[in-house]
Amino acid sequence: MRYLLLIYGNEAEAAKMSQEQMQAEMTAYNDFTEMIQKSGAHLSGEALHPVNAATTVRVRDGKVLTTDGPFAETKEQLGGFYLVKAENLDEAIAIATKIPGATSGSIEIRPVVEWD
């Protein structure tokens, strides 16, 4: 089964990180990515630009409405994701606990619908 692991964190807090702290976090993410690639669980993953680069699109009564930024104001923002394959939710949770962002933010696990 495929699971999307959504990485949420506080962008304002991340912006306060020193160069050394940022480098340590990037090293941790690189190590994590290498680990899940070697395990065969890694399918995809990307970091995202900050929420100020986001655009939300809605269509109402046939009219396209666009808004700068994310849909809702939250304390944590979506910063990236991994798409992994796992046998079950327990295995997906075990993978998610190793994502560096889990220690300061949260990881949302969403099963991917498998269309036949």
Side-chain angles (χ1 to χ4, degrees), residues 3-6 89 92-94 96 107-111:
Y3 291 90
L4 188 61
L5 310 180
L6 301 164
L89 179 58
I93 291 170
I107 310 300
E108 178 182 345
I109 300 173
R110 299 279 299 271

Side-chain angles (χ1 to χ4, degrees), residues 2-38:
R2 294 179 300 157
Y3 291 90
L4 188 61
L5 310 180
L6 301 164
I7 304 164
Y8 288 91
N10 186 310
E11 288 181 2
E13 292 300 314
K16 297 176 187 176
M17 292 173 72
S18 69
Q19 190 69 10
E20 293 79 20
Q21 291 169 316
M22 182 61 75
Q23 184 59 47
E25 182 159 310
M26 291 310 302
T27 298
Y29 270 100
N30 291 336
D31 291 347
F32 170 77
T33 302
E34 184 178 330
M35 185 268 303
I36 63 170
Q37 286 172 335
K38 287 180 180 176

Side-chain angles (χ1 to χ4, degrees), residues 1-8 32 78 80-99 102 106-113:
M1 190 161 192
R2 294 179 300 157
Y3 291 90
L4 188 61
L5 310 180
L6 301 164
I7 304 164
Y8 288 91
F32 170 77
L78 179 62
F81 69 90
Y82 285 96
L83 180 62
V84 300
K85 61 181 177 180
E87 289 298 316
N88 52 45
L89 179 58
D90 289 338
E91 186 177 336
I93 291 170
I95 294 168
T97 63
K98 295 179 179 85
I99 296 175
S106 62
I107 310 300
E108 178 182 345
I109 300 173
R110 299 279 299 271
V112 175
V113 174

Side-chain angles (χ1 to χ4, degrees), residues 33-83:
T33 302
E34 184 178 330
M35 185 268 303
I36 63 170
Q37 286 172 335
K38 287 180 180 176
S39 77
H42 184 266
L43 297 174
S44 181
E46 297 292 340
L48 301 175
H49 284 279
V51 294
N52 65 3
T55 301
T56 299
V57 175
R58 296 174 184 84
V59 178
R60 300 293 185 268
D61 299 320
K63 294 184 181 183
V64 176
L65 307 168
T66 61
T67 307
D68 291 341
F71 178 72
E73 292 292 323
T74 61
K75 289 184 177 184
E76 294 182 331
Q77 296 79 35
L78 179 62
F81 69 90
Y82 285 96
L83 180 62

